[in-house]
Amino acid sequence: MYQPKTIYTKVALETIINFLNGNAPELSKEKLPKELSETRNGCFVSLHKTDGSLRGCIGTIEPVEENLFKEITRNAIAAAMRDSRFSPLTLEEMDDVEISVDVLTVPEEIFDLDDLDPQIYGVIVSDGVSKRAVLLPSIPGIDTIEKQLDIVKRKAGLDHVKNKKLKLLRFTSNRYH
């Protein structure tokens, strides 16, 4: 079974296992660092099979919970159970799942594509009305700005819209395994 290397992924793993066992997510018995208990950040929890393929990824661009611990807990359950691209995760699959947690910085609007770098920045694309999508930074195989924008625009259903007509935001993230 996956062995978390950080408190972030430990919280996500314990949350998913508790949920799959029918137990309510609970605060870890160990003392949480202030970064988890006293800060608010958007975050994404990503589940990958050991072969590297995606198994679930859900997150929040901006925080909706009172602290990062609760944000991770919320997104871990959602990634495991409510990612519409996948069936709900089962306990039997846990031996084949690895977890990462991306803690996001506050997004900033950009006006020049040269301000993007898919290895450093994630991107949010929006039509300013109802369609929006996000793509995390440093995703294997996404090595150009053009590829990054093509994917995120397609996710948002905006692949037919010229970049100049879209609102683009960038952010960085710290990825924990």
Side-chain angles (χ1 to χ4, degrees):
M1 181 179 278
Y2 167 74
Q3 295 297 314
K5 297 179 182 123
T6 65
I7 188 69
Y8 303 92
T9 50
K10 184 177 182 181
V11 167
L13 178 63
E14 286 181 5
T15 297
I16 292 169
I17 290 172
N18 281 339
F19 188 86
L20 292 174
N21 281 319
N23 301 320
E26 59 185 58
L27 187 64
S28 179
K29 302 294 184 235
E30 66 186 354
K31 185 168 174 53
L32 287 175
K34 288 184 178 183
E35 187 171 349
L36 286 177
S37 62
E38 296 181 9
T39 63
R40 296 182 74 222
N41 290 84
C43 75
F44 276 74
V45 174
S46 300
L47 310 176
H48 287 88
K49 293 183 180 182
T50 52
D51 68 7
S53 61
L54 187 65
R55 180 57 181 89
C57 181
I58 299 285
T60 48
I61 296 168
E62 296 169 357
V64 296
E65 297 292 343
E66 67 187 63
N67 61 40
L68 189 52
F69 173 82
K70 289 186 177 185
E71 203 79 32
I72 293 170
T73 299
R74 167 195 179 102
N75 293 333
I77 293 170
M81 306 307 293
R82 294 191 278 281
D83 187 327
S84 62
R85 299 169 290 182
F86 305 97
S87 60
L89 190 70
T90 64
L91 258 179
E92 293 75 30
E93 290 179 274
M94 289 305 296
D95 284 337
D96 191 38
V97 171
E98 297 175 346
I99 300 171
S100 63
V101 175
D102 281 80
V103 179
L104 279 54
T105 59
V106 176
E108 60 183 3
E109 190 168 5
I110 61 162
F111 302 97
D112 188 334
L113 295 184
D114 288 337
D115 291 333
L116 289 174
D117 178 332
Q119 295 307 307
I120 298 171
Y121 299 107
V123 64
I124 303 163
V125 64
S126 167
D127 65 0
V129 181
S130 62
K131 294 183 179 181
R132 177 171 87 161
V134 62
L135 194 63
L136 295 172
S138 193
I139 296 176
I142 302 176
D143 50 7
T144 66
I145 295 168
E146 293 76 21
K147 192 178 230 183
Q148 184 183 42
L149 286 175
D150 285 346
I151 292 169
V152 75
K153 285 170 63 175
R154 194 172 42 244
K155 282 178 68 176
L158 297 169
D159 42 329
H160 62 284
V161 180
K162 293 185 190 254
N163 293 338
K164 291 184 270 187
K165 300 214 178 230
L166 296 172
K167 182 175 183 178
L168 297 172
L169 296 104
R170 72 178 186 181
F171 61 91
T172 60
S173 74
N174 289 318
R175 183 167 294 152
Y176 301 95
H177 294 278

